[in-house]
Amino acid sequence: MSKMKSFMIPVMAIAALAGAVPTVASAQSYGAHDYRHAPSYERQQDRRELRYRKVELDRRIDRARDSRRLDRDDAISLKRELQNVVRMEHGMMRGGLDRREIRTLDRQYDRVEQRLERKLRQEYRRDYNNGYRH
């Protein structure tokens, strides 16, 4: 009996450890709390959205300038601000974008867009008040 006990104790200990290892491994979250380890298609989608915002804002500034709804100085200022955001984006992309950096870039693009909208509203009011729009 004593031989049986001395044999069973190590076997039971090994079985207990073997049962615990999958439990610990399954507790690991694969839900991408760290965005850098998220599936690559999510990161590519975010990059596409950021690139689209940059291109669309650039196009809107050009159209507003070409249609004279935005004066040359304001267009240059907005383009410069947009370039600063693009530079910031390129600097952040070197190490990969995480969720916080994506939110920061979104806010920066929002600021440029809001500034463009504000300038367009001011120009419209100025033209309307001066009698240019009928």
Side-chain angles (χ1 to χ4, degrees):
M1 184 81 157
S2 146
K3 279 186 177 181
M4 186 68 120
K5 265 188 181 176
S6 62
F7 176 73
M8 288 300 284
I9 291 175
V11 170
M12 290 176 68
I14 291 172
L17 284 174
V21 170
T23 306
V24 171
S26 68
Q28 208 174 35
S29 165
Y30 293 102
H33 289 304
D34 182 9
Y35 185 69
R36 293 173 203 272
H37 296 105
S40 63
Y41 65 87
E42 289 179 15
R43 291 184 300 225
Q44 290 172 354
Q45 179 66 26
D46 289 333
R47 282 189 217 127
R48 271 190 294 254
E49 288 173 8
L50 290 172
R51 192 174 330 126
Y52 173 78
R53 287 192 75 181
K54 185 262 180 207
V55 168
E56 188 59 30
L57 274 170
D58 195 43
R59 192 175 300 147
R60 285 183 64 201
I61 293 167
D62 287 340
R63 277 194 312 243
R65 184 196 61 222
D66 293 345
S67 65
R68 297 179 189 245
R69 292 180 25 202
L70 191 64
D71 68 7
R72 182 178 160 271
D73 292 337
D74 286 337
I76 290 171
S77 175
L78 284 165
K79 288 271 194 169
R80 188 174 299 129
E81 191 174 335
L82 184 59
Q83 258 329 98
N84 288 338
V85 176
V86 170
R87 236 180 262 115
M88 179 191 307
E89 180 180 346
H90 288 304
M92 289 178 173
M93 278 190 173
R94 285 188 197 122
L97 294 174
D98 59 19
R99 288 281 179 203
R100 182 185 52 79
E101 291 169 332
I102 290 170
R103 282 193 307 268
T104 300
L105 289 169
D106 273 337
R107 281 193 302 270
Q108 293 298 321
Y109 281 120
D110 286 343
R111 285 183 186 141
V112 175
E113 190 170 9
Q114 289 166 358
R115 189 163 167 242
L116 172 62
E117 293 295 329
R118 193 170 43 250
K119 291 289 182 185
L120 291 175
R121 279 193 309 271
Q122 287 172 354
E123 284 300 313
Y124 179 79
R125 286 187 194 126
R126 187 176 310 136
D127 289 349
Y128 187 78
N129 288 336
N130 290 332
Y132 294 124
R133 302 225 190 250
H134 291 279

